[in-house]
PDB file of all heavy atoms in Angstrom:
ATOM      1  N   ASN U  35     -13.311  -9.362 -14.828  1.00 98.00           N
ATOM      2  CA  ASN U  35     -13.171  -7.963 -15.170  1.00 98.00           C
ATOM      3  C   ASN U  35     -13.384  -7.055 -13.948  1.00 98.00           C
ATOM      4  O   ASN U  35     -12.766  -5.997 -13.803  1.00 98.00           O
ATOM      5  CB  ASN U  35     -14.133  -7.570 -16.277  1.00 98.00           C
ATOM      6  CG  ASN U  35     -13.665  -8.121 -17.615  1.00 98.00           C
ATOM      7  OD1 ASN U  35     -12.478  -8.388 -17.793  1.00 98.00           O
ATOM      8  ND2 ASN U  35     -14.591  -8.323 -18.537  1.00 98.00           N
ATOM      9  N   ARG U  41      -8.165  -3.459  -9.375  1.00 97.00           N
ATOM     10  CA  ARG U  41      -6.711  -3.289  -9.299  1.00 97.00           C
ATOM     11  C   ARG U  41      -6.276  -1.966  -9.947  1.00 97.00           C
ATOM     12  O   ARG U  41      -5.274  -1.366  -9.615  1.00 97.00           O
ATOM     13  CB  ARG U  41      -6.011  -4.455  -9.979  1.00 97.00           C
ATOM     14  CG  ARG U  41      -4.510  -4.530  -9.703  1.00 97.00           C
ATOM     15  CD  ARG U  41      -3.795  -5.420 -10.706  1.00 97.00           C
ATOM     16  NE  ARG U  41      -3.777  -4.795 -12.010  1.00 97.00           N
ATOM     17  CZ  ARG U  41      -2.745  -4.075 -12.486  1.00 97.00           C
ATOM     18  NH1 ARG U  41      -1.665  -3.935 -11.793  1.00 97.00           N
ATOM     19  NH2 ARG U  41      -2.820  -3.502 -13.672  1.00 97.00           N
ATOM     20  N   THR U  84      -0.052  -0.177 -28.823  1.00 96.00           N
ATOM     21  CA  THR U  84      -0.097   0.525 -30.120  1.00 96.00           C
ATOM     22  C   THR U  84       1.009   1.578 -30.206  1.00 96.00           C
ATOM     23  O   THR U  84       1.447   1.920 -31.307  1.00 96.00           O
ATOM     24  CB  THR U  84      -1.458   1.220 -30.327  1.00 96.00           C
ATOM     25  OG1 THR U  84      -1.735   1.996 -29.163  1.00 96.00           O
ATOM     26  CG2 THR U  84      -2.564   0.206 -30.543  1.00 96.00           C
ATOM     27  N   VAL U 149     -10.392 -16.311 -10.573  1.00 98.00           N
ATOM     28  CA  VAL U 149     -10.839 -17.705 -10.780  1.00 98.00           C
ATOM     29  C   VAL U 149     -10.768 -18.457  -9.450  1.00 98.00           C
ATOM     30  O   VAL U 149     -11.695 -19.175  -9.077  1.00 98.00           O
ATOM     31  CB  VAL U 149      -9.990 -18.414 -11.868  1.00 98.00           C
ATOM     32  CG1 VAL U 149     -10.416 -19.876 -12.025  1.00 98.00           C
ATOM     33  CG2 VAL U 149     -10.062 -17.671 -13.200  1.00 98.00           C
ATOM     34  N   GLY U 158     -17.948 -21.398   0.259  1.00 98.00           N
ATOM     35  CA  GLY U 158     -18.289 -20.527   1.367  1.00 98.00           C
ATOM     36  C   GLY U 158     -17.082 -19.828   2.003  1.00 98.00           C
ATOM     37  O   GLY U 158     -17.103 -19.504   3.198  1.00 98.00           O
ATOM     38  N   HIS U 164      -7.356  -5.111   2.480  1.00 98.00           N
ATOM     39  CA  HIS U 164      -7.454  -3.661   2.711  1.00 98.00           C
ATOM     40  C   HIS U 164      -6.104  -3.073   3.047  1.00 98.00           C
ATOM     41  O   HIS U 164      -5.156  -3.806   3.350  1.00 98.00           O
ATOM     42  CB  HIS U 164      -8.521  -3.338   3.763  1.00 98.00           C
ATOM     43  CG  HIS U 164      -8.215  -3.889   5.114  1.00 98.00           C
ATOM     44  ND1 HIS U 164      -8.228  -3.094   6.252  1.00 98.00           N
ATOM     45  CD2 HIS U 164      -7.868  -5.115   5.539  1.00 98.00           C
ATOM     46  CE1 HIS U 164      -7.902  -3.840   7.297  1.00 98.00           C
ATOM     47  NE2 HIS U 164      -7.693  -5.054   6.894  1.00 98.00           N
ATOM     48  N   ALA U 195     -10.177   1.271   5.160  1.00 98.00           N
ATOM     49  CA  ALA U 195     -11.493   1.312   5.792  1.00 98.00           C
ATOM     50  C   ALA U 195     -11.580   2.351   6.908  1.00 98.00           C
ATOM     51  O   ALA U 195     -12.624   2.493   7.516  1.00 98.00           O
ATOM     52  CB  ALA U 195     -11.812  -0.099   6.351  1.00 98.00           C
ATOM     53  N   LYS U 202      -5.486  11.352   5.220  1.00 98.00           N
ATOM     54  CA  LYS U 202      -4.059  11.645   5.491  1.00 98.00           C
ATOM     55  C   LYS U 202      -3.146  10.866   4.513  1.00 98.00           C
ATOM     56  O   LYS U 202      -2.117  11.348   4.098  1.00 98.00           O
ATOM     57  CB  LYS U 202      -3.708  11.243   6.929  1.00 98.00           C
ATOM     58  CG  LYS U 202      -4.347  12.173   7.956  1.00 98.00           C
ATOM     59  CD  LYS U 202      -3.866  11.813   9.368  1.00 98.00           C
ATOM     60  CE  LYS U 202      -4.713  12.538  10.388  1.00 98.00           C
ATOM     61  NZ  LYS U 202      -4.870  11.762  11.615  1.00 98.00           N
ATOM     62  N   ILE U 217       6.058   6.392  -2.102  1.00 97.00           N
ATOM     63  CA  ILE U 217       5.862   5.856  -0.749  1.00 97.00           C
ATOM     64  C   ILE U 217       5.256   4.456  -0.782  1.00 97.00           C
ATOM     65  O   ILE U 217       4.527   4.121  -1.713  1.00 97.00           O
ATOM     66  CB  ILE U 217       5.026   6.801   0.176  1.00 97.00           C
ATOM     67  CG1 ILE U 217       3.727   7.243  -0.535  1.00 97.00           C
ATOM     68  CG2 ILE U 217       5.845   7.991   0.629  1.00 97.00           C
ATOM     69  CD1 ILE U 217       2.850   8.150   0.342  1.00 97.00           C
ATOM     70  N   ILE U 224      -7.583 -10.997   4.644  1.00 98.00           N
ATOM     71  CA  ILE U 224      -8.312 -11.828   5.608  1.00 98.00           C
ATOM     72  C   ILE U 224      -9.090 -12.891   4.832  1.00 98.00           C
ATOM     73  O   ILE U 224      -9.838 -12.576   3.914  1.00 98.00           O
ATOM     74  CB  ILE U 224      -9.298 -10.957   6.437  1.00 98.00           C
ATOM     75  CG1 ILE U 224      -8.506  -9.869   7.188  1.00 98.00           C
ATOM     76  CG2 ILE U 224     -10.113 -11.821   7.402  1.00 98.00           C
ATOM     77  CD1 ILE U 224      -9.346  -8.765   7.746  1.00 98.00           C
ATOM     78  N   GLY U 227     -13.696 -18.551   6.553  1.00 97.00           N
ATOM     79  CA  GLY U 227     -14.445 -19.729   6.158  1.00 97.00           C
ATOM     80  C   GLY U 227     -13.614 -20.959   5.820  1.00 97.00           C
ATOM     81  O   GLY U 227     -14.166 -21.997   5.444  1.00 97.00           O
ATOM     82  N   ALA U 249       3.853 -16.433  -1.498  1.00 98.00           N
ATOM     83  CA  ALA U 249       2.998 -15.791  -2.495  1.00 98.00           C
ATOM     84  C   ALA U 249       3.003 -14.278  -2.276  1.00 98.00           C
ATOM     85  O   ALA U 249       3.123 -13.483  -3.228  1.00 98.00           O
ATOM     86  CB  ALA U 249       1.561 -16.328  -2.384  1.00 98.00           C
ATOM     87  N   LYS U 257       8.378  -6.773   0.720  1.00 98.00           N
ATOM     88  CA  LYS U 257       9.615  -7.063   1.425  1.00 98.00           C
ATOM     89  C   LYS U 257       9.435  -7.830   2.732  1.00 98.00           C
ATOM     90  O   LYS U 257      10.416  -8.198   3.375  1.00 98.00           O
ATOM     91  CB  LYS U 257      10.376  -5.762   1.722  1.00 98.00           C
ATOM     92  CG  LYS U 257      10.749  -4.954   0.502  1.00 98.00           C
ATOM     93  CD  LYS U 257      11.596  -5.700  -0.487  1.00 98.00           C
ATOM     94  CE  LYS U 257      13.042  -5.751  -0.097  1.00 98.00           C
ATOM     95  NZ  LYS U 257      13.806  -6.470  -1.156  1.00 98.00           N
ATOM     96  N   GLY U 262      -1.225 -12.716  11.864  1.00 98.00           N
ATOM     97  CA  GLY U 262      -1.746 -12.349  13.168  1.00 98.00           C
ATOM     98  C   GLY U 262      -0.941 -11.217  13.782  1.00 98.00           C
ATOM     99  O   GLY U 262      -0.692 -10.207  13.112  1.00 98.00           O
ATOM    100  N   GLY U 264       2.136 -11.298  14.353  1.00 98.00           N
ATOM    101  CA  GLY U 264       3.379 -11.273  13.589  1.00 98.00           C
ATOM    102  C   GLY U 264       4.618 -10.974  14.396  1.00 98.00           C
ATOM    103  O   GLY U 264       4.897 -11.632  15.395  1.00 98.00           O
ATOM    104  N   TYR U 287     -14.983 -26.480  17.848  1.00 96.00           N
ATOM    105  CA  TYR U 287     -13.773 -25.919  18.418  1.00 96.00           C
ATOM    106  C   TYR U 287     -13.512 -24.526  17.846  1.00 96.00           C
ATOM    107  O   TYR U 287     -13.711 -24.311  16.639  1.00 96.00           O
ATOM    108  CB  TYR U 287     -12.557 -26.795  18.109  1.00 96.00           C
ATOM    109  CG  TYR U 287     -12.663 -28.152  18.718  1.00 96.00           C
ATOM    110  CD1 TYR U 287     -13.132 -29.244  17.966  1.00 96.00           C
ATOM    111  CD2 TYR U 287     -12.312 -28.377  20.045  1.00 96.00           C
ATOM    112  CE1 TYR U 287     -13.251 -30.488  18.507  1.00 96.00           C
ATOM    113  CE2 TYR U 287     -12.425 -29.643  20.606  1.00 96.00           C
ATOM    114  CZ  TYR U 287     -12.899 -30.694  19.841  1.00 96.00           C
ATOM    115  OH  TYR U 287     -13.013 -31.930  20.399  1.00 96.00           O
ATOM    116  N   ASN U 292      -7.398 -14.514  18.141  1.00 98.00           N
ATOM    117  CA  ASN U 292      -6.812 -15.000  16.873  1.00 98.00           C
ATOM    118  C   ASN U 292      -5.466 -14.320  16.649  1.00 98.00           C
ATOM    119  O   ASN U 292      -5.197 -13.765  15.600  1.00 98.00           O
ATOM    120  CB  ASN U 292      -7.770 -14.729  15.711  1.00 98.00           C
ATOM    121  CG  ASN U 292      -7.327 -15.416  14.434  1.00 98.00           C
ATOM    122  OD1 ASN U 292      -6.598 -16.429  14.478  1.00 98.00           O
ATOM    123  ND2 ASN U 292      -7.713 -14.866  13.296  1.00 98.00           N
ATOM    124  N   ARG U 293      -4.642 -14.387  17.705  1.00 98.00           N
ATOM    125  CA  ARG U 293      -3.338 -13.709  17.634  1.00 98.00           C
ATOM    126  C   ARG U 293      -2.402 -14.380  16.657  1.00 98.00           C
ATOM    127  O   ARG U 293      -1.503 -13.761  16.118  1.00 98.00           O
ATOM    128  CB  ARG U 293      -2.733 -13.615  19.024  1.00 98.00           C
ATOM    129  CG  ARG U 293      -3.591 -12.740  19.964  1.00 98.00           C
ATOM    130  CD  ARG U 293      -2.984 -12.547  21.311  1.00 98.00           C
ATOM    131  NE  ARG U 293      -3.099 -13.733  22.161  1.00 98.00           N
ATOM    132  CZ  ARG U 293      -3.504 -13.710  23.427  1.00 98.00           C
ATOM    133  NH1 ARG U 293      -3.850 -12.566  23.998  1.00 98.00           N
ATOM    134  NH2 ARG U 293      -3.547 -14.818  24.146  1.00 98.00           N
ATOM    135  N   GLU U 298      -1.809 -22.748  12.974  1.00 98.00           N
ATOM    136  CA  GLU U 298      -0.981 -23.451  13.961  1.00 98.00           C
ATOM    137  C   GLU U 298      -0.409 -24.639  13.255  1.00 98.00           C
ATOM    138  O   GLU U 298      -1.148 -25.379  12.565  1.00 98.00           O
ATOM    139  CB  GLU U 298      -1.824 -23.917  15.181  1.00 98.00           C
ATOM    140  CG  GLU U 298      -2.240 -22.795  16.102  1.00 98.00           C
ATOM    141  CD  GLU U 298      -3.283 -23.234  17.127  1.00 98.00           C
ATOM    142  OE1 GLU U 298      -3.770 -24.390  17.084  1.00 98.00           O
ATOM    143  OE2 GLU U 298      -3.641 -22.401  17.991  1.00 98.00           O
ATOM    144  N   VAL U 326      25.027   4.072 -12.111  1.00 96.00           N
ATOM    145  CA  VAL U 326      26.180   4.063 -13.023  1.00 96.00           C
ATOM    146  C   VAL U 326      25.699   3.698 -14.415  1.00 96.00           C
ATOM    147  O   VAL U 326      24.891   2.757 -14.546  1.00 96.00           O
ATOM    148  CB  VAL U 326      27.218   3.021 -12.533  1.00 96.00           C
ATOM    149  CG1 VAL U 326      28.353   2.827 -13.538  1.00 96.00           C
ATOM    150  CG2 VAL U 326      27.769   3.424 -11.173  1.00 96.00           C
ATOM    151  N   VAL U 328      26.006   1.769 -17.611  1.00 95.00           N
ATOM    152  CA  VAL U 328      26.785   0.554 -17.875  1.00 95.00           C
ATOM    153  C   VAL U 328      27.621   0.649 -19.151  1.00 95.00           C
ATOM    154  O   VAL U 328      28.541  -0.138 -19.360  1.00 95.00           O
ATOM    155  CB  VAL U 328      25.890  -0.721 -17.936  1.00 95.00           C
ATOM    156  CG1 VAL U 328      25.263  -1.021 -16.578  1.00 95.00           C
ATOM    157  CG2 VAL U 328      24.826  -0.633 -19.019  1.00 95.00           C
ATOM    158  N   THR U 330      29.312   3.631 -20.095  1.00 96.00           N
ATOM    159  CA  THR U 330      30.486   4.483 -19.832  1.00 96.00           C
ATOM    160  C   THR U 330      31.135   4.212 -18.468  1.00 96.00           C
ATOM    161  O   THR U 330      32.244   4.632 -18.218  1.00 96.00           O
ATOM    162  CB  THR U 330      30.068   5.970 -19.862  1.00 96.00           C
ATOM    163  OG1 THR U 330      29.114   6.161 -18.800  1.00 96.00           O
ATOM    164  CG2 THR U 330      29.430   6.346 -21.185  1.00 96.00           C
ATOM    165  N   GLU U 339      11.649   6.667 -15.740  1.00 70.00           N
ATOM    166  CA  GLU U 339      10.558   6.069 -16.524  1.00 70.00           C
ATOM    167  C   GLU U 339       9.254   6.592 -15.927  1.00 70.00           C
ATOM    168  O   GLU U 339       9.212   6.907 -14.731  1.00 70.00           O
ATOM    169  CB  GLU U 339      10.556   4.534 -16.360  1.00 70.00           C
ATOM    170  CG  GLU U 339      11.589   3.823 -17.169  1.00 70.00           C
ATOM    171  CD  GLU U 339      11.087   3.475 -18.583  1.00 70.00           C
ATOM    172  OE1 GLU U 339       9.983   2.944 -18.694  1.00 70.00           O
ATOM    173  OE2 GLU U 339      11.823   3.760 -19.514  1.00 70.00           O
ATOM    174  N   ALA U 345       1.539   2.638  -5.176  1.00 97.00           N
ATOM    175  CA  ALA U 345       0.704   1.590  -5.760  1.00 97.00           C
ATOM    176  C   ALA U 345       0.182   0.636  -4.695  1.00 97.00           C
ATOM    177  O   ALA U 345      -0.250  -0.467  -4.964  1.00 97.00           O
ATOM    178  CB  ALA U 345       1.501   0.825  -6.837  1.00 97.00           C
ATOM    179  N   ALA U 348      -3.504  -0.611  -5.151  1.00 98.00           N
ATOM    180  CA  ALA U 348      -3.576  -1.621  -6.204  1.00 98.00           C
ATOM    181  C   ALA U 348      -2.942  -2.913  -5.724  1.00 98.00           C
ATOM    182  O   ALA U 348      -3.451  -4.030  -5.964  1.00 98.00           O
ATOM    183  CB  ALA U 348      -2.859  -1.123  -7.443  1.00 98.00           C
ATOM    184  N   VAL U 351      -5.078  -5.378  -3.899  1.00 98.00           N
ATOM    185  CA  VAL U 351      -5.930  -6.243  -4.734  1.00 98.00           C
ATOM    186  C   VAL U 351      -5.093  -7.432  -5.272  1.00 98.00           C
ATOM    187  O   VAL U 351      -5.582  -8.551  -5.345  1.00 98.00           O
ATOM    188  CB  VAL U 351      -6.559  -5.446  -5.918  1.00 98.00           C
ATOM    189  CG1 VAL U 351      -7.389  -6.349  -6.803  1.00 98.00           C
ATOM    190  CG2 VAL U 351      -7.405  -4.290  -5.357  1.00 98.00           C
ATOM    191  N   ILE U 365      -7.269 -26.052  -1.097  1.00 98.00           N
ATOM    192  CA  ILE U 365      -8.597 -26.677  -1.025  1.00 98.00           C
ATOM    193  C   ILE U 365      -8.730 -27.779  -2.104  1.00 98.00           C
ATOM    194  O   ILE U 365      -9.187 -28.889  -1.814  1.00 98.00           O
ATOM    195  CB  ILE U 365      -9.707 -25.610  -1.178  1.00 98.00           C
ATOM    196  CG1 ILE U 365      -9.781 -24.680   0.055  1.00 98.00           C
ATOM    197  CG2 ILE U 365     -11.079 -26.229  -1.492  1.00 98.00           C
ATOM    198  CD1 ILE U 365     -10.461 -25.265   1.268  1.00 98.00           C
ATOM    199  N   GLU U 367      -6.377 -29.395  -3.602  1.00 97.00           N
ATOM    200  CA  GLU U 367      -5.429 -30.496  -3.330  1.00 97.00           C
ATOM    201  C   GLU U 367      -5.991 -31.429  -2.276  1.00 97.00           C
ATOM    202  O   GLU U 367      -5.837 -32.655  -2.338  1.00 97.00           O
ATOM    203  CB  GLU U 367      -4.082 -29.945  -2.827  1.00 97.00           C
ATOM    204  CG  GLU U 367      -3.134 -29.646  -3.970  1.00 97.00           C
ATOM    205  CD  GLU U 367      -1.944 -28.825  -3.514  1.00 97.00           C
ATOM    206  OE1 GLU U 367      -1.667 -28.741  -2.283  1.00 97.00           O
ATOM    207  OE2 GLU U 367      -1.299 -28.251  -4.390  1.00 97.00           O
ATOM    208  N   GLU U 390     -17.708 -32.216  15.103  1.00 91.00           N
ATOM    209  CA  GLU U 390     -18.093 -33.373  15.937  1.00 91.00           C
ATOM    210  C   GLU U 390     -16.912 -34.103  16.562  1.00 91.00           C
ATOM    211  O   GLU U 390     -17.075 -34.990  17.374  1.00 91.00           O
ATOM    212  CB  GLU U 390     -18.889 -34.364  15.047  1.00 91.00           C
ATOM    213  CG  GLU U 390     -20.295 -33.890  14.858  1.00 91.00           C
ATOM    214  CD  GLU U 390     -20.942 -34.500  13.627  1.00 91.00           C
ATOM    215  OE1 GLU U 390     -20.429 -35.521  13.141  1.00 91.00           O
ATOM    216  OE2 GLU U 390     -21.955 -33.966  13.175  1.00 91.00           O
TER     217      GLU U 390
END
Side-chain angles (χ1 to χ4, degrees):
N35 287 335
R41 193 197 70 96
T84 51
V149 177
H164 63 128
K202 289 185 192 147
I217 48 179
I224 300 165
K257 301 302 280 182
Y287 297 97
N292 190 24
R293 295 184 286 227
E298 286 170 355
V326 172
V328 295
T330 63
E339 282 273 312
V351 178
I365 290 282
E367 271 168 17
E390 283 159 16

